[in-house]
Amino acid sequence: MSPGTTGPQDPTAPPGSAETSDHPGDGGRVVLTAQEMSRALRRIAHEILEANKGPQDLVLVGIPTRGGPLARRLAQAIRDVEGHTVPTGTLDITMYRDDLRDQPVRHVEPTELPDGGIQDKVVVLVDDVLYSGRTVRAALDSLADYGRPRIVRLAVLIDRGHRELPIRPDYVGKNLPSAKTERVSVRLAEIDGHDEVGIATGPRREGHP
């Protein structure tokens, strides 16, 4: 992944758009500040607990790159509320993408699942930006290789629309209507040094997916 992006880009995204994020560039605007992002994640954590009737059997699995830190933040928020440590992990989807024939070989991200695995667990997939849904489809295929969860749910920080598959998030930090020519940028302190979500219009920068 290039710096400033979040996870592999959607294979069908046109230039200047992403299922994941890119730098806002000149003329971009901030749509979530650090404080707003924190509030959104705390709300999602409460919604997860409410839907699951507590933290039992929960596993939070992030889709690299930024899904991992977001999953860990949600786990911390749940621990702050319940005093219970929810297992977290990351799930590589590289070999499950539907654009492998058309794109250069991508860097394989690590898959690190909790020791207890995902069999018969309530797995919440976590990603930063939901766009066409193809990344999530690849994640579901990858997840099936590691076990059969009882339930799989989806939490995303940003839903920017433009779905191409029948995939819908269960938990959303912010719905962000966008044009396909716009870029959504998610930056996290763990990777980028600060928290911020921005949106901008314009061509992709050289070197970014």
Side-chain angles (χ1 to χ4, degrees), residues 139-162:
L140 291 170
D141 287 347
S142 177
L143 195 67
D145 281 351
Y146 295 94
R148 188 177 188 273
R150 185 164 76 249
I151 299 172
V152 180
R153 295 187 170 120
L154 175 63
V156 298
L157 182 61
I158 300 293
D159 183 352
R160 63 169 296 183
H162 305 291

Side-chain angles (χ1 to χ4, degrees), residues 52 56-60 120-124 149-151 153:
N52 197 58
Q56 293 74 24
D57 293 330
L58 276 174
V59 177
L60 305 179
D120 203 34
K121 302 293 186 181
V122 178
V123 173
V124 180
R150 185 164 76 249
I151 299 172
R153 295 187 170 120

